[in-house]
Amino acid sequence: MEAPLFTNDAIVFGILMISLGFVFYTESQTSGFWHKFYKIVPGLFMAYFIPAIFTTLGVISPEWETTNAAGEVVKNKSQLYYVSSRFLLPAALVLMTLSIDLKAIFNLGSKALIMFFTGTIGIVIGGPIAILLISTVSPETVGGADFDAVWRGLSTLAGSWIGGGANQTAMLEIYKYNPAKYGGMVFVDIVVANIWMAIILIGIGKKDKIDKWLKADTSAIEDLKERVSSFTQGVRRNPTLTDFIIMLAIAFGTVGFGHFAAGYLSEIFAAITASMESQTWRNIFSFLGSGFFWLISISTIVAILLSFTKAKNYEGAGASKIGSIFIYVLVATIGMKMDLTLIFDNVGLIAIGLVWMAIHAGLLILVAKLIRAPYFFLAVGSQANVGGAASAPIVAQAFHPSLATVGVLLAVFGYAIGTVGAILCTILMEIASKV
């Protein structure tokens, strides 16, 4: 938590953009070391990993502490991730959804939902199995009594990894885990989820080989990509300044409306859920009080509606490319949150998290192999659970910009079932911790 070398967000943003520039420049090389390097490691992973290196070295940091003149400890925080996730992410979703082909999306079939629910089941059963396995090696790691019980803390991970931040907070409220120790669970969430996301990003670079091994039928995905590419070619034009301004107006105008409507809707639904007599029902529907949930949902809905208008023709002027720029900035800010040295700070809890995630991954791979699901469904189904609306679109658009909406729709669904799934997982973890 010490102050990094650079604390000014303007400087940090410059460093992140230089990192992205370096990645794109080296990835564009057609021969030599970098050409061979990016055949193994995808550029999207490097856009995530380089900022993580800077954070690990203490050059930049998402959070840090300072001491003021009165000797008081002051907590400081970079606003770059907040700006990227609340402004750039919804804007990117709008721009990449303008040219969406809903019919082709629906033609993707049931495998997307099957893999999503497989990911959910993997989290539900992964927690208790991880506790049982780790308890055979280190019983104290999964111990604790009353409100210090580790299973209570792990309940917040279940909420986060099935739904999102709102579900995580709901689980903290339900099981009353010791707030003084809650930071350790947040730390495990960040480390393990980011390690898994890094693995998924690396896998994208090998997607053809993985799909061949899975014997996957990728025809529906290829058809969607072909439809979008054909449409883009048909409306392609050299963009003018007016085109760029109008595209940004559509994107950020929608984001502005999203924030406006989300503010009211989150308050309304928060009041409705608070008035429910049953504490259980209040916690289940707590995600409806999340402004971020409504922001992403509203932005996506507006973008889908715009796709039925002439606004979709702005894809020919590069709408999805601008959206991809915003996504890459978000990826860099996510990477900035990862300090690689933290992996060794709490080995016990990290071990639980890694085993838990391995079970989630293993089940996804098994089911994908059985139903011959493409790696795209595996990756997005997992991130719609573990990463939520902030990272599922990142992974989806890495396959093709037209697929970003699939990630969003599944992630929003994850919010809806997050608390219920996490409660079931926690019941099993409590039983496992007492075996």
Side-chain angles (χ1 to χ4, degrees):
M1 295 294 286
E2 292 182 1
L5 182 61
F6 298 110
T7 58
N8 186 319
D9 272 346
I11 298 173
V12 175
F13 182 67
I15 292 172
L16 297 182
M17 290 307 298
I18 291 172
S19 300
L20 291 177
F22 171 79
V23 171
F24 274 77
Y25 175 75
T26 52
E27 192 177 20
S28 68
Q29 302 302 301
T30 56
S31 62
F33 169 78
W34 290 114
H35 179 67
K36 295 177 182 178
F37 178 82
Y38 284 107
K39 282 187 174 181
I40 302 172
V41 181
L44 186 61
F45 171 75
M46 292 302 294
Y48 163 89
F49 189 64
I50 293 177
I53 293 176
F54 284 131
T55 295
T56 303
L57 296 176
V59 178
I60 59 178
S61 179
E63 297 179 345
W64 64 94
E65 293 179 349
T66 56
T67 305
N68 61 20
E72 300 170 328
V73 175
V74 180
K75 293 185 177 182
N76 302 276
K77 186 175 184 179
S78 170
Q79 295 300 310
L80 292 179
Y81 173 74
Y82 179 85
V83 171
S84 297
S85 61
R86 267 58 177 183
F87 301 143
L88 299 187
L89 172 59
L93 297 178
V94 172
L95 292 171
M96 291 190 291
T97 304
L98 283 179
S99 60
I100 189 176
D101 187 328
L102 277 182
K103 183 179 178 180
I105 290 286
F106 293 137
N107 284 342
L108 291 177
S110 60
K111 289 183 180 179
L113 281 176
I114 291 173
M115 294 309 296
F116 169 78
F117 282 115
T118 298
T120 302
I121 294 170
I123 296 299
V124 171
I125 67 174
I129 293 175
I131 287 177
L132 289 173
L133 292 175
I134 297 299
S135 65
T136 62
V137 180
S138 177
E140 66 278 4
T141 301
V142 296
D146 298 327
F147 296 112
D148 288 334
V150 172
W151 64 265
R152 292 182 186 272
L154 294 177
S155 73
T156 65
L157 289 187
S160 176
W161 288 350
I162 298 176
N167 308 91
Q168 184 177 32
T169 303
M171 297 306 293
L172 181 63
E173 178 64 28
I174 294 171
Y175 290 100
K176 307 293 184 183
Y177 184 58
N178 186 345
K181 295 185 176 182
Y182 176 55
M185 294 299 168
V186 174
F187 154 75
V188 175
D189 182 8
I190 293 172
V191 171
V192 176
N194 277 274
I195 289 174
W196 175 232
M197 182 177 176
I199 293 172
I200 285 179
L201 294 179
I202 292 174
I204 292 174
K206 306 286 185 180
K207 64 180 184 296
D208 293 336
K209 291 183 179 179
I210 295 174
D211 284 335
K212 185 177 180 180
W213 178 77
L214 292 170
K215 297 180 180 179
D217 178 10
T218 61
S219 57
I221 296 173
E222 294 304 319
D223 178 62
L224 174 57
K225 290 161 64 175
E226 180 60 33
R227 281 171 176 258
V228 173
S229 297
S230 298
F231 173 76
T232 302
Q233 288 294 331
V235 295
R236 186 181 298 279
R237 64 179 187 272
N238 288 326
T240 64
L241 177 60
T242 300
D243 287 329
F244 284 122
I245 294 298
I246 291 177
M247 285 188 285
L248 292 175
I250 291 172
F252 288 105
T254 301
V255 174
F257 173 73
H259 277 276
F260 172 78
Y264 283 102
L265 289 172
S266 60
E267 288 183 5
I268 291 171
F269 281 95
I272 291 174
T273 54
S275 65
M276 294 178 178
E277 293 184 6
S278 170
Q279 179 67 41
T280 301
W281 286 111
R282 285 203 297 272
N283 288 312
I284 288 174
F285 290 104
S286 62
F287 72 94
L288 293 175
S290 167
F292 184 64
F293 165 79
W294 287 111
L295 170 63
I296 297 300
S297 300
I298 292 167
S299 298
T300 304
I301 290 170
V302 171
I304 291 174
L305 293 176
L306 288 173
S307 72
F308 291 99
T309 71
K310 290 183 178 180
K312 71 183 301 178
N313 291 334
Y314 280 103
E315 175 59 24
S320 64
K321 288 184 175 62
I322 297 175
S324 294
I325 293 173
F326 295 160
I327 287 291
Y328 269 93
V329 174
L330 174 62
V331 170
T333 61
I334 292 176
M336 174 185 167
K337 296 170 67 177
M338 181 63 179
D339 184 342
L340 301 174
T341 61
L342 295 180
I343 297 172
F344 307 103
D345 279 8
N346 197 330
V347 178
L349 286 178
I350 292 295
I352 294 175
L354 291 175
V355 171
W356 191 346
M357 198 60 66
I359 294 166
H360 164 79
L363 186 61
L364 281 167
I365 294 170
L366 174 62
V367 173
K369 183 71 172 175
L370 291 174
I371 68 173
R372 299 185 177 184
Y375 180 63
F376 168 74
F377 291 144
L378 187 158
V380 176
S382 174
Q383 281 303 296
N385 281 282
V386 178
S391 62
I394 293 172
V395 171
Q397 74 86 38
F399 289 86
H400 193 274
S402 63
L403 298 171
T405 308
V406 178
V408 178
L409 296 176
L410 290 177
V412 168
F413 194 43
Y415 280 117
I417 67 170
T419 304
V420 175
I423 290 173
L424 176 58
C425 177
T426 306
I427 292 172
L428 297 175
M429 287 193 293
E430 182 181 6
I431 295 172
S433 66
K434 295 177 181 178
V435 172

